[in-house]
Amino acid sequence: MSSAPTHGTTMNGRRHGELVDYFRSYPDQILATLSNMDGDSFFAWQLWELPEGARHHDVDVVTLDQRTYIQCAGSADAMSVEVRAFDDDGVPHQLIVGRPGSREGEPGVAITFAENTLHVYELEVFNATEAAGIFYQYFLDGTIPAQYVTREFDMTRPTS
């Protein structure tokens, strides 16, 4: 039995749809989607909550930058996971998700996708299976699992 979609998705920053459970459960659909990322033709995926009762085609995709979301970039073997959150004053923050540990010096791991390179710390590199757990928790309640940490992503630095 399927339920009405509650979340929209964006693939590669331009193809929008909905997360559905018509053929697979939500956790399995998230894992299948992330497992199909190849870093080239499918290199980025974003999950965002739909307004109450809306479908993805009802949402002005231009305003998606004004919403919270979780996204990833890279391939099924090596991807970054980021969340967009707003502080109490409504200021947006882009946060990279990672495992706890030291983040000294410059990020040294290159995640390539399309024609871009994003540099992150080793603790911030995920495969599709681990990322799927993070995405599913976000899908459930808009948070990341407690065992992960975030750091602010400097949006002023070029990715490649």
Side-chain angles (χ1 to χ4, degrees), residues 54-159:
R55 301 299 298 258
H56 82 281
H57 49 76
D58 300 324
V59 177
D60 177 5
V61 295
V62 174
T63 65
L64 285 179
D65 280 345
Q66 300 168 9
R67 299 177 178 273
T68 58
Y69 55 75
I70 186 169
Q71 68 181 10
C72 59
S75 68
D77 295 327
M79 66 179 70
S80 68
V81 175
E82 301 171 16
V83 293
R84 182 182 175 101
F86 292 85
D87 64 22
D88 292 339
D89 294 328
V91 176
H93 297 274
Q94 198 75 13
L95 307 169
I96 294 184
V97 178
R99 295 169 211 83
S102 175
R103 285 167 176 73
E104 295 181 18
E106 290 295 311
V109 178
I111 294 180
T112 57
F113 55 97
E115 296 179 8
N116 299 296
T117 302
L118 173 66
H119 290 90
V120 297
Y121 295 99
E122 181 66 37
L123 297 166
E124 298 166 340
V125 179
F126 296 97
N127 64 28
T129 302
E130 190 173 7
I134 299 169
F135 269 77
Y136 185 60
Q137 180 69 45
Y138 189 91
F139 166 78
L140 291 174
D141 64 13
T143 68
I144 61 167
Q147 69 264 33
Y148 298 101
V149 298
T150 61
R151 73 170 170 92
E152 185 111 18
F153 179 57
D154 183 358
M155 298 292 285
T156 63
R157 293 178 59 188
T159 58

